[in-house]
Amino acid sequence: MKEIVAIIRPNKMTRTKEVLSALGFPAFTASKVLGRGKQKGLAGEVSFEMRPELLSQKGGMKYVPKRLISLVVNDEDVSLVVEVIMRVNRTGEIGDGRIFVCPVEDAIRIRTRERGKAAIN
């Protein structure tokens, strides 16, 4: 099993959710996060007006709003899920996000005590 963690643009969240669900991966955890990469912020990523002095700061924006999604999948599904997330979220512009794939030792469904693949399926 692997955990796939993706940091994506907020405006791509709905489409990402729709495509993952259509492919049989409806369950994931999502949260609003703030961060910044090498670009030091993108004014076009926010849905509110910014004071002009914030846009002209030498260091860029302090943080950029993003969405973080996390899902645990079977090893054989990793390539498909990563490819789908990349296709939906790739604009070719700075700020498209990152995907991390991490090993998962075990998973346990609390209600039934199922473990491993049974706990995530």
Side-chain angles (χ1 to χ4, degrees):
M1 293 176 292
K2 299 281 193 270
E3 179 184 25
I4 299 172
V5 178
I7 301 167
I8 62 174
R9 297 174 188 270
N11 64 348
K12 298 288 188 174
M13 186 65 197
T14 300
R15 185 70 182 137
T16 301
K17 178 178 67 171
E18 291 169 350
V19 173
L20 285 172
S21 184
L23 290 174
F25 302 97
F28 62 84
T29 301
S31 59
K32 295 178 179 180
V33 295
L34 297 172
R36 72 176 206 184
K38 295 177 188 176
Q39 83 278 7
K40 299 181 183 173
L42 298 170
E45 292 295 311
V46 296
S47 59
F48 52 85
E49 274 199 43
M50 295 181 60
R51 296 189 319 260
E53 62 270 18
L54 290 177
L55 297 174
S56 62
Q57 286 182 347
K58 184 178 180 187
M61 292 173 63
K62 191 169 184 177
Y63 297 108
V64 178
K66 295 285 184 177
R67 296 297 180 269
L68 184 141
I69 61 172
S70 169
L71 63 160
V72 177
V73 301
N74 294 317
D75 290 344
E76 58 270 16
D77 296 324
V78 171
S79 294
L80 172 64
V81 172
V82 168
E83 182 60 32
V84 164
I85 293 170
M86 286 185 357
R87 278 192 194 169
V88 171
N89 290 279
R90 187 173 187 280
T91 67
E93 301 293 325
I94 292 174
D96 279 347
R98 295 276 193 279
I99 300 172
F100 304 96
V101 179
C102 311
V104 173
E105 250 182 69
D106 200 2
I108 304 153
R109 187 184 314 264
I110 295 172
R111 178 177 52 87
T112 63
R113 296 182 183 232
E114 294 169 293
R115 297 185 81 107
K117 286 184 175 186
I120 66 169
N121 294 327

Short mmCIF file of all heavy atoms in Angstrom, two decimals, residues 3-14 16 20 28-39 42 45 63-71 81-82 84-91 93-102:
data_model
loop_
_atom_site.label_atom_id
_atom_site.label_comp_id
_atom_site.label_asym_id
_atom_site.label_seq_id
_atom_site.Cartn_x
_atom_site.Cartn_y
_atom_site.Cartn_z
N GLU A 3 0.62 5.71 0.32
CA GLU A 3 -0.13 6.94 0.53
C GLU A 3 0.30 7.92 -0.55
O GLU A 3 1.49 8.14 -0.77
CB GLU A 3 0.13 7.55 1.90
CG GLU A 3 -0.64 8.85 2.09
CD GLU A 3 -0.33 9.55 3.40
OE1 GLU A 3 0.76 9.34 3.96
OE2 GLU A 3 -1.19 10.32 3.85
N ILE A 4 -0.67 8.49 -1.23
CA ILE A 4 -0.40 9.52 -2.22
C ILE A 4 -0.86 10.84 -1.63
O ILE A 4 -2.03 10.99 -1.25
CB ILE A 4 -1.13 9.22 -3.54
CG1 ILE A 4 -0.63 7.89 -4.11
CG2 ILE A 4 -0.90 10.36 -4.55
CD1 ILE A 4 -1.41 7.39 -5.29
N VAL A 5 0.07 11.77 -1.51
CA VAL A 5 -0.23 13.09 -0.98
C VAL A 5 0.01 14.08 -2.12
O VAL A 5 1.09 14.10 -2.71
CB VAL A 5 0.69 13.43 0.21
CG1 VAL A 5 0.43 14.83 0.72
CG2 VAL A 5 0.53 12.41 1.33
N ALA A 6 -1.01 14.85 -2.43
CA ALA A 6 -0.89 15.83 -3.51
C ALA A 6 -1.26 17.21 -3.00
O ALA A 6 -2.24 17.37 -2.28
CB ALA A 6 -1.79 15.45 -4.68
N ILE A 7 -0.45 18.18 -3.38
CA ILE A 7 -0.74 19.58 -3.08
C ILE A 7 -1.09 20.22 -4.42
O ILE A 7 -0.27 20.22 -5.34
CB ILE A 7 0.47 20.27 -2.43
CG1 ILE A 7 0.84 19.54 -1.13
CG2 ILE A 7 0.18 21.75 -2.17
CD1 ILE A 7 2.18 19.91 -0.57
N ILE A 8 -2.32 20.73 -4.51
CA ILE A 8 -2.83 21.20 -5.79
C ILE A 8 -3.44 22.60 -5.67
O ILE A 8 -3.66 23.09 -4.56
CB ILE A 8 -3.88 20.22 -6.38
CG1 ILE A 8 -5.09 20.10 -5.45
CG2 ILE A 8 -3.24 18.86 -6.63
CD1 ILE A 8 -6.24 19.27 -6.02
N ARG A 9 -3.74 23.19 -6.81
CA ARG A 9 -4.41 24.49 -6.84
C ARG A 9 -5.85 24.33 -6.34
O ARG A 9 -6.51 23.34 -6.68
CB ARG A 9 -4.46 25.03 -8.26
CG ARG A 9 -3.10 25.31 -8.88
CD ARG A 9 -3.29 25.71 -10.34
NE ARG A 9 -2.03 25.81 -11.04
CZ ARG A 9 -1.31 26.94 -11.12
NH1 ARG A 9 -1.74 28.03 -10.54
NH2 ARG A 9 -0.16 26.94 -11.76
N PRO A 10 -6.36 25.30 -5.57
CA PRO A 10 -7.74 25.21 -5.08
C PRO A 10 -8.77 25.06 -6.20
O PRO A 10 -9.74 24.33 -6.06
CB PRO A 10 -7.95 26.52 -4.33
CG PRO A 10 -6.58 26.97 -3.94
CD PRO A 10 -5.68 26.48 -5.04
N ASN A 11 -8.54 25.72 -7.32
CA ASN A 11 -9.52 25.67 -8.40
C ASN A 11 -9.53 24.33 -9.15
O ASN A 11 -10.35 24.12 -10.03
CB ASN A 11 -9.33 26.83 -9.38
CG ASN A 11 -8.01 26.78 -10.11
OD1 ASN A 11 -7.11 26.02 -9.75
ND2 ASN A 11 -7.87 27.61 -11.12
N LYS A 12 -8.65 23.43 -8.81
CA LYS A 12 -8.60 22.10 -9.43
C LYS A 12 -9.18 21.02 -8.52
O LYS A 12 -9.26 19.85 -8.90
CB LYS A 12 -7.15 21.73 -9.78
CG LYS A 12 -6.49 22.65 -10.78
CD LYS A 12 -7.07 22.45 -12.15
CE LYS A 12 -6.28 23.22 -13.19
NZ LYS A 12 -6.75 22.91 -14.53
N MET A 13 -9.61 21.40 -7.33
CA MET A 13 -10.08 20.43 -6.35
C MET A 13 -11.32 19.68 -6.81
O MET A 13 -11.37 18.44 -6.73
CB MET A 13 -10.36 21.15 -5.02
CG MET A 13 -10.69 20.23 -3.89
SD MET A 13 -9.29 19.19 -3.50
CE MET A 13 -10.11 17.95 -2.56
N THR A 14 -12.32 20.38 -7.30
CA THR A 14 -13.57 19.73 -7.71
C THR A 14 -13.34 18.73 -8.82
O THR A 14 -13.81 17.59 -8.76
CB THR A 14 -14.61 20.79 -8.14
OG1 THR A 14 -14.86 21.66 -7.03
CG2 THR A 14 -15.91 20.14 -8.58
N THR A 16 -10.53 17.23 -9.65
CA THR A 16 -9.72 16.12 -9.14
C THR A 16 -10.60 15.12 -8.42
O THR A 16 -10.51 13.90 -8.64
CB THR A 16 -8.61 16.64 -8.21
OG1 THR A 16 -7.78 17.56 -8.93
CG2 THR A 16 -7.76 15.52 -7.65
N LEU A 20 -11.17 11.20 -9.70
CA LEU A 20 -10.77 10.11 -8.81
C LEU A 20 -11.98 9.24 -8.45
O LEU A 20 -11.90 8.01 -8.47
CB LEU A 20 -10.11 10.65 -7.54
CG LEU A 20 -8.69 11.17 -7.69
CD1 LEU A 20 -8.23 11.85 -6.41
CD2 LEU A 20 -7.73 10.06 -8.08
N PHE A 28 -10.92 9.96 0.13
CA PHE A 28 -9.64 10.59 0.42
C PHE A 28 -9.84 11.66 1.46
O PHE A 28 -10.96 12.02 1.79
CB PHE A 28 -8.94 11.14 -0.84
CG PHE A 28 -9.68 12.22 -1.57
CD1 PHE A 28 -9.59 13.54 -1.18
CD2 PHE A 28 -10.46 11.91 -2.67
CE1 PHE A 28 -10.27 14.53 -1.87
CE2 PHE A 28 -11.13 12.88 -3.37
CZ PHE A 28 -11.04 14.21 -2.96
N THR A 29 -8.75 12.15 1.99
CA THR A 29 -8.79 13.24 2.96
C THR A 29 -8.32 14.50 2.26
O THR A 29 -7.35 14.45 1.50
CB THR A 29 -7.86 12.92 4.16
OG1 THR A 29 -8.29 11.70 4.75
CG2 THR A 29 -7.88 14.04 5.18
N ALA A 30 -9.01 15.60 2.51
CA ALA A 30 -8.63 16.87 1.88
C ALA A 30 -8.61 17.96 2.95
O ALA A 30 -9.40 17.93 3.90
CB ALA A 30 -9.62 17.23 0.78
N SER A 31 -7.71 18.89 2.76
CA SER A 31 -7.67 20.03 3.67
C SER A 31 -7.14 21.25 2.95
O SER A 31 -6.41 21.15 1.97
CB SER A 31 -6.82 19.72 4.92
OG SER A 31 -5.52 19.38 4.55
N LYS A 32 -7.54 22.40 3.47
CA LYS A 32 -7.02 23.66 2.96
C LYS A 32 -5.67 23.87 3.63
O LYS A 32 -5.54 23.70 4.85
CB LYS A 32 -7.96 24.81 3.31
CG LYS A 32 -9.30 24.72 2.64
CD LYS A 32 -10.20 25.86 3.06
CE LYS A 32 -11.54 25.75 2.35
NZ LYS A 32 -12.44 26.85 2.73
N VAL A 33 -4.67 24.21 2.84
CA VAL A 33 -3.33 24.45 3.37
C VAL A 33 -2.78 25.76 2.81
O VAL A 33 -3.27 26.27 1.80
CB VAL A 33 -2.36 23.29 3.07
CG1 VAL A 33 -2.80 22.02 3.79
CG2 VAL A 33 -2.25 23.04 1.58
N LEU A 34 -1.77 26.27 3.45
CA LEU A 34 -1.05 27.45 2.97
C LEU A 34 0.41 27.06 2.81
O LEU A 34 0.95 26.31 3.61
CB LEU A 34 -1.16 28.60 3.97
CG LEU A 34 -2.56 29.15 4.22
CD1 LEU A 34 -2.52 30.15 5.36
CD2 LEU A 34 -3.10 29.81 2.97
N GLY A 35 1.02 27.58 1.80
CA GLY A 35 2.44 27.30 1.59
C GLY A 35 2.97 28.16 0.47
O GLY A 35 2.27 29.03 -0.05
N ARG A 36 4.20 27.92 0.13
CA ARG A 36 4.76 28.60 -1.03
C ARG A 36 5.96 27.81 -1.51
O ARG A 36 6.61 27.09 -0.76
CB ARG A 36 5.12 30.04 -0.74
CG ARG A 36 6.33 30.24 0.13
CD ARG A 36 6.63 31.70 0.25
NE ARG A 36 8.03 31.87 0.52
CZ ARG A 36 8.59 33.02 0.75
NH1 ARG A 36 7.88 34.11 0.73
NH2 ARG A 36 9.87 33.10 0.97
N GLY A 37 6.19 27.92 -2.79
CA GLY A 37 7.32 27.24 -3.39
C GLY A 37 8.35 28.24 -3.83
O GLY A 37 8.45 29.34 -3.31
N LYS A 38 9.10 27.87 -4.85
CA LYS A 38 10.15 28.74 -5.37
C LYS A 38 9.61 30.05 -5.92
O LYS A 38 10.31 31.05 -5.95
CB LYS A 38 10.92 28.01 -6.47
CG LYS A 38 11.68 26.81 -5.99
CD LYS A 38 12.34 26.12 -7.16
CE LYS A 38 12.95 24.81 -6.75
NZ LYS A 38 13.50 24.09 -7.89
N GLN A 39 8.35 30.02 -6.39
CA GLN A 39 7.79 31.21 -7.02
C GLN A 39 7.46 32.31 -6.01
O GLN A 39 7.18 33.42 -6.39
CB GLN A 39 6.55 30.85 -7.85
CG GLN A 39 5.26 30.75 -7.07
CD GLN A 39 5.07 29.43 -6.36
OE1 GLN A 39 5.94 28.58 -6.31
NE2 GLN A 39 3.91 29.24 -5.77
N LEU A 42 1.71 33.41 -5.86
CA LEU A 42 1.06 33.78 -7.11
C LEU A 42 -0.22 34.54 -6.79
O LEU A 42 -1.14 33.99 -6.20
CB LEU A 42 0.70 32.52 -7.93
CG LEU A 42 1.87 31.65 -8.37
CD1 LEU A 42 1.36 30.34 -8.93
CD2 LEU A 42 2.71 32.37 -9.40
N GLU A 45 -3.73 33.10 -7.60
CA GLU A 45 -4.22 31.93 -6.89
C GLU A 45 -5.24 32.28 -5.82
O GLU A 45 -5.85 31.40 -5.25
CB GLU A 45 -3.06 31.19 -6.22
CG GLU A 45 -2.12 30.54 -7.20
CD GLU A 45 -2.77 29.44 -8.01
OE1 GLU A 45 -3.43 28.56 -7.43
OE2 GLU A 45 -2.65 29.48 -9.23
N TYR A 63 2.25 33.52 1.79
CA TYR A 63 1.79 32.15 1.58
C TYR A 63 0.76 32.11 0.45
O TYR A 63 0.09 33.09 0.19
CB TYR A 63 1.13 31.58 2.84
CG TYR A 63 2.07 31.48 4.01
CD1 TYR A 63 1.94 32.34 5.08
CD2 TYR A 63 3.07 30.53 4.03
CE1 TYR A 63 2.81 32.26 6.16
CE2 TYR A 63 3.94 30.45 5.10
CZ TYR A 63 3.80 31.31 6.16
OH TYR A 63 4.66 31.22 7.21
N VAL A 64 0.63 30.95 -0.16
CA VAL A 64 -0.33 30.74 -1.23
C VAL A 64 -1.34 29.69 -0.77
O VAL A 64 -0.94 28.64 -0.26
CB VAL A 64 0.37 30.23 -2.51
CG1 VAL A 64 -0.64 29.97 -3.62
CG2 VAL A 64 1.43 31.21 -2.98
N PRO A 65 -2.64 29.94 -0.93
CA PRO A 65 -3.61 28.91 -0.57
C PRO A 65 -3.55 27.75 -1.55
O PRO A 65 -3.48 27.95 -2.76
CB PRO A 65 -4.96 29.64 -0.65
CG PRO A 65 -4.72 30.85 -1.48
CD PRO A 65 -3.25 31.16 -1.40
N LYS A 66 -3.55 26.55 -1.02
CA LYS A 66 -3.53 25.32 -1.82
C LYS A 66 -4.48 24.32 -1.19
O LYS A 66 -5.03 24.56 -0.12
CB LYS A 66 -2.11 24.72 -1.87
CG LYS A 66 -1.08 25.57 -2.57
CD LYS A 66 -1.27 25.52 -4.05
CE LYS A 66 -0.15 26.30 -4.75
NZ LYS A 66 -0.28 26.21 -6.18
N ARG A 67 -4.65 23.18 -1.83
CA ARG A 67 -5.41 22.07 -1.25
C ARG A 67 -4.48 20.87 -1.17
O ARG A 67 -3.70 20.62 -2.09
CB ARG A 67 -6.62 21.72 -2.13
CG ARG A 67 -7.65 22.80 -2.23
CD ARG A 67 -8.28 23.13 -0.88
NE ARG A 67 -9.27 24.18 -0.98
CZ ARG A 67 -9.00 25.48 -0.82
NH1 ARG A 67 -7.77 25.88 -0.56
NH2 ARG A 67 -9.96 26.37 -0.92
N LEU A 68 -4.59 20.15 -0.06
CA LEU A 68 -3.81 18.95 0.13
C LEU A 68 -4.78 17.78 0.15
O LEU A 68 -5.76 17.80 0.88
CB LEU A 68 -3.05 19.03 1.46
CG LEU A 68 -2.11 17.86 1.73
CD1 LEU A 68 -0.84 18.36 2.39
CD2 LEU A 68 -2.76 16.79 2.58
N ILE A 69 -4.52 16.80 -0.70
CA ILE A 69 -5.33 15.59 -0.68
C ILE A 69 -4.42 14.42 -0.37
O ILE A 69 -3.24 14.40 -0.75
CB ILE A 69 -6.10 15.36 -1.99
CG1 ILE A 69 -5.18 15.20 -3.19
CG2 ILE A 69 -7.11 16.46 -2.23
CD1 ILE A 69 -5.91 14.79 -4.45
N SER A 70 -4.98 13.46 0.35
CA SER A 70 -4.22 12.28 0.75
C SER A 70 -5.12 11.06 0.59
O SER A 70 -6.27 11.07 1.04
CB SER A 70 -3.79 12.42 2.21
OG SER A 70 -3.29 11.21 2.71
N LEU A 71 -4.60 10.03 -0.08
CA LEU A 71 -5.34 8.79 -0.19
C LEU A 71 -4.38 7.61 -0.16
O LEU A 71 -3.24 7.73 -0.60
CB LEU A 71 -6.22 8.76 -1.44
CG LEU A 71 -5.61 8.82 -2.82
CD1 LEU A 71 -6.62 8.29 -3.83
CD2 LEU A 71 -5.28 10.25 -3.20
N VAL A 81 -3.39 6.51 -10.25
CA VAL A 81 -3.81 7.65 -9.44
C VAL A 81 -2.87 8.83 -9.64
O VAL A 81 -3.32 9.97 -9.82
CB VAL A 81 -3.93 7.26 -7.95
CG1 VAL A 81 -4.17 8.48 -7.08
CG2 VAL A 81 -5.05 6.24 -7.76
N VAL A 82 -1.58 8.59 -9.64
CA VAL A 82 -0.61 9.68 -9.86
C VAL A 82 -0.82 10.30 -11.24
O VAL A 82 -0.84 11.52 -11.38
CB VAL A 82 0.84 9.17 -9.67
CG1 VAL A 82 1.85 10.19 -10.18
CG2 VAL A 82 1.10 8.85 -8.21
N VAL A 84 -3.51 10.37 -13.10
CA VAL A 84 -4.77 11.12 -13.13
C VAL A 84 -4.62 12.47 -12.43
O VAL A 84 -5.07 13.50 -12.94
CB VAL A 84 -5.91 10.28 -12.48
CG1 VAL A 84 -7.10 11.14 -12.13
CG2 VAL A 84 -6.31 9.16 -13.41
N ILE A 85 -4.00 12.47 -11.28
CA ILE A 85 -3.81 13.73 -10.55
C ILE A 85 -2.96 14.69 -11.39
O ILE A 85 -3.24 15.88 -11.47
CB ILE A 85 -3.18 13.49 -9.16
CG1 ILE A 85 -4.17 12.74 -8.26
CG2 ILE A 85 -2.75 14.81 -8.51
CD1 ILE A 85 -3.58 12.23 -6.96
N MET A 86 -1.93 14.16 -12.05
CA MET A 86 -1.08 15.02 -12.89
C MET A 86 -1.86 15.56 -14.08
O MET A 86 -1.75 16.75 -14.39
CB MET A 86 0.16 14.24 -13.36
CG MET A 86 1.15 14.05 -12.25
SD MET A 86 2.74 13.27 -12.64
CE MET A 86 2.71 12.83 -14.30
N ARG A 87 -2.64 14.73 -14.74
CA ARG A 87 -3.41 15.18 -15.91
C ARG A 87 -4.40 16.28 -15.56
O ARG A 87 -4.55 17.25 -16.28
CB ARG A 87 -4.16 14.02 -16.54
CG ARG A 87 -3.30 13.20 -17.45
CD ARG A 87 -4.14 12.25 -18.25
NE ARG A 87 -3.27 11.25 -18.87
CZ ARG A 87 -3.70 10.19 -19.46
NH1 ARG A 87 -4.99 9.94 -19.54
NH2 ARG A 87 -2.85 9.33 -19.99
N VAL A 88 -5.10 16.10 -14.46
CA VAL A 88 -6.12 17.07 -14.06
C VAL A 88 -5.49 18.39 -13.61
O VAL A 88 -6.03 19.46 -13.88
CB VAL A 88 -7.01 16.50 -12.93
CG1 VAL A 88 -7.93 17.56 -12.35
CG2 VAL A 88 -7.81 15.32 -13.44
N ASN A 89 -4.34 18.32 -12.97
CA ASN A 89 -3.78 19.50 -12.31
C ASN A 89 -2.65 20.19 -13.07
O ASN A 89 -2.24 21.27 -12.68
CB ASN A 89 -3.30 19.11 -10.91
CG ASN A 89 -4.46 18.82 -10.01
OD1 ASN A 89 -5.07 19.74 -9.48
ND2 ASN A 89 -4.83 17.56 -9.88
N ARG A 90 -2.17 19.62 -14.13
CA ARG A 90 -1.04 20.22 -14.85
C ARG A 90 -1.52 21.31 -15.79
O ARG A 90 -2.27 21.08 -16.73
CB ARG A 90 -0.28 19.17 -15.65
CG ARG A 90 0.98 19.73 -16.27
CD ARG A 90 1.80 18.63 -16.92
NE ARG A 90 3.08 19.15 -17.35
CZ ARG A 90 3.25 19.85 -18.47
NH1 ARG A 90 2.24 20.10 -19.26
NH2 ARG A 90 4.45 20.30 -18.78
N THR A 91 -1.07 22.54 -15.52
CA THR A 91 -1.35 23.66 -16.42
C THR A 91 -0.09 24.04 -17.19
O THR A 91 -0.16 24.77 -18.16
CB THR A 91 -1.82 24.91 -15.65
OG1 THR A 91 -0.74 25.41 -14.85
CG2 THR A 91 -3.03 24.60 -14.78
N GLU A 93 2.19 25.81 -15.79
CA GLU A 93 2.64 27.05 -15.16
C GLU A 93 3.23 26.75 -13.78
O GLU A 93 2.93 25.73 -13.17
CB GLU A 93 1.45 28.02 -15.00
CG GLU A 93 0.78 28.39 -16.30
CD GLU A 93 1.67 29.22 -17.22
OE1 GLU A 93 2.46 30.03 -16.70
OE2 GLU A 93 1.58 29.04 -18.44
N ILE A 94 4.02 27.69 -13.30
CA ILE A 94 4.56 27.58 -11.94
C ILE A 94 3.39 27.50 -10.97
O ILE A 94 2.40 28.21 -11.11
CB ILE A 94 5.45 28.79 -11.62
CG1 ILE A 94 6.71 28.74 -12.47
CG2 ILE A 94 5.79 28.86 -10.14
CD1 ILE A 94 7.58 29.97 -12.33
N GLY A 95 3.50 26.63 -9.98
CA GLY A 95 2.46 26.52 -8.96
C GLY A 95 1.49 25.37 -9.16
O GLY A 95 0.48 25.29 -8.48
N ASP A 96 1.77 24.47 -10.11
CA ASP A 96 0.87 23.35 -10.35
C ASP A 96 0.81 22.39 -9.16
O ASP A 96 -0.17 21.69 -8.99
CB ASP A 96 1.29 22.57 -11.60
CG ASP A 96 0.81 23.22 -12.88
OD1 ASP A 96 -0.03 24.13 -12.81
OD2 ASP A 96 1.29 22.82 -13.95
N GLY A 97 1.83 22.35 -8.34
CA GLY A 97 1.80 21.53 -7.14
C GLY A 97 2.83 20.43 -7.12
O GLY A 97 3.75 20.38 -7.94
N ARG A 98 2.65 19.51 -6.17
CA ARG A 98 3.56 18.40 -5.97
C ARG A 98 2.76 17.16 -5.61
O ARG A 98 1.69 17.25 -5.03
CB ARG A 98 4.52 18.66 -4.80
CG ARG A 98 5.49 19.80 -4.98
CD ARG A 98 6.70 19.34 -5.76
NE ARG A 98 7.78 20.30 -5.71
CZ ARG A 98 7.88 21.38 -6.45
NH1 ARG A 98 6.92 21.68 -7.30
NH2 ARG A 98 8.91 22.19 -6.36
N ILE A 99 3.32 16.01 -5.91
CA ILE A 99 2.76 14.73 -5.50
C ILE A 99 3.86 13.95 -4.79
O ILE A 99 4.98 13.85 -5.29
CB ILE A 99 2.24 13.91 -6.71
CG1 ILE A 99 1.14 14.68 -7.45
CG2 ILE A 99 1.74 12.54 -6.26
CD1 ILE A 99 0.73 14.03 -8.76
N PHE A 100 3.51 13.38 -3.65
CA PHE A 100 4.44 12.56 -2.89
C PHE A 100 3.83 11.17 -2.74
O PHE A 100 2.64 11.03 -2.47
CB PHE A 100 4.69 13.15 -1.50
CG PHE A 100 5.19 14.57 -1.55
CD1 PHE A 100 4.31 15.63 -1.42
CD2 PHE A 100 6.53 14.84 -1.75
CE1 PHE A 100 4.75 16.94 -1.47
CE2 PHE A 100 6.99 16.15 -1.81
CZ PHE A 100 6.09 17.21 -1.66
N VAL A 101 4.64 10.13 -2.93
CA VAL A 101 4.19 8.76 -2.77
C VAL A 101 5.00 8.15 -1.62
O VAL A 101 6.23 8.11 -1.68
CB VAL A 101 4.38 7.95 -4.07
CG1 VAL A 101 3.92 6.51 -3.87
CG2 VAL A 101 3.63 8.60 -5.23
N CYS A 102 4.28 7.70 -0.60
CA CYS A 102 4.93 7.21 0.62
C CYS A 102 4.48 5.79 0.92
O CYS A 102 3.31 5.45 0.73
CB CYS A 102 4.54 8.09 1.81
SG CYS A 102 4.71 9.86 1.52
#
